Amino acid sequence: MSNNGSTGASPQPSGSSSRKKPGGGVSRRALLIGGGAVTAVGAAVLARDEVQRLWWQVPGVGKPRKPGELDYPGATWVAASDANWRRADRPDDFPIDRVIIHVTQGSFASAVRVFQDPSHQAATHYIVGQDGRVVQMIRELDVAYQAGNRSYNERAVGIEHEGFVDRPKDLTKEMYASSARLTASICARHGIPVDREHIIGHVEVPGTDHTDPGPHWDWDRYMELVRRAAAAPPSPAPTASAAVKP
């Protein structure tokens, strides 16, 4: 009878077999099934991570936060009116890649007051006084109405400085040093490059009609101080009391 009709097994070389014996290894089918399971698990993990990343963008969902919690330990918390900022969950919903430098055109106390006024419709995250004191008024998580440009608002942390743009004496060494430490800390937390492309003045925001920090702001001096602070050990120096005085 031909081999096609034979009921007997054809002789096989010693030690070989046309089929895997039980316990003799993993079949191709099993490997494919197992690989599919591994792939499915990997996809599930990736999907879970993506959901966690995007979870904070779901309306009504926000990261847990504590009232008065500081992002910068050298500051004191004084809350701005919630009409002057928008709740967000940065950098999950918007990347933070800028620090914007402002000058208040007024005193430290007046800046605090207007940021607490809901009719003002503007505020920054921080105010730095001429004596070096720092208050934080808005969490870095959230979007401050500071720049007159929605995209820049969503991407930036803003710092006000006590004084007037036409009075160089208002820009004290204590203010420069304290602000530089604050900016270096912000850049370190958010991976912002310490350069003039990413640390900018309000006047440099597209579409703005503001001129601050003005012609007397010493950018070379300031950037050198920020670079020094960025290279120093991460321990913010204590600032003067942030009590608001008239």
Side-chain angles (χ1 to χ4, degrees), residues 112-135:
V112 171
R113 283 196 300 270
V114 297
F115 289 175
Q116 292 177 315
D117 180 356
S119 67
H120 187 60
Q121 298 293 298
T124 57
H125 296 86
Y126 296 96
I127 305 174
V128 179
Q130 291 176 2
D131 58 2
R133 56 182 162 167
V134 179
V135 295

Side-chain angles (χ1 to χ4, degrees), residues 49-69:
D49 290 345
E50 182 69 5
V51 167
Q52 289 177 340
R53 188 179 71 81
L54 297 174
W55 180 246
W56 311 114
Q57 298 183 39
V58 176
V61 175
K63 289 179 180 176
R65 57 181 80 190
K66 299 176 183 177
E69 188 172 15

Side-chain angles (χ1 to χ4, degrees), residues 23 84 96 101 121 126 129 202 210:
N84 297 328
I96 298 174
I101 302 299
Q121 298 293 298
Y126 296 96
H202 192 177
H210 287 244

Side-chain angles (χ1 to χ4, degrees), residues 16-143:
S16 68
S17 173
S18 61
R19 295 183 180 179
K20 288 287 184 181
K21 296 178 181 179
V26 180
S27 70
R28 181 172 180 273
R29 181 172 181 271
L31 183 61
L32 289 172
I33 294 172
V38 170
T39 301
V41 170
V45 170
L46 290 174
R48 181 199 64 195
D49 290 345
E50 182 69 5
V51 167
Q52 289 177 340
R53 188 179 71 81
L54 297 174
W55 180 246
W56 311 114
Q57 298 183 39
V58 176
V61 175
K63 289 179 180 176
R65 57 181 80 190
K66 299 176 183 177
E69 188 172 15
L70 294 167
D71 295 300
Y72 178 62
T76 296
W77 179 260
V78 180
S81 167
D82 57 11
N84 297 328
W85 56 273
R86 186 174 87 239
R87 187 182 178 98
D89 287 297
R90 304 189 307 170
D92 291 294
D93 44 9
F94 306 107
I96 298 174
D97 62 5
R98 294 287 188 281
V99 176
I100 301 179
I101 302 299
H102 305 256
V103 168
T104 61
Q105 290 297 95
S107 69
F108 186 93
S110 67
V112 171
R113 283 196 300 270
V114 297
F115 289 175
Q116 292 177 315
D117 180 356
S119 67
H120 187 60
Q121 298 293 298
T124 57
H125 296 86
Y126 296 96
I127 305 174
V128 179
Q130 291 176 2
D131 58 2
R133 56 182 162 167
V134 179
V135 295
Q136 181 171 4
M137 301 194 70
I138 300 169
R139 289 293 307 277
E140 290 175 18
L141 289 167
D142 298 321
V143 175

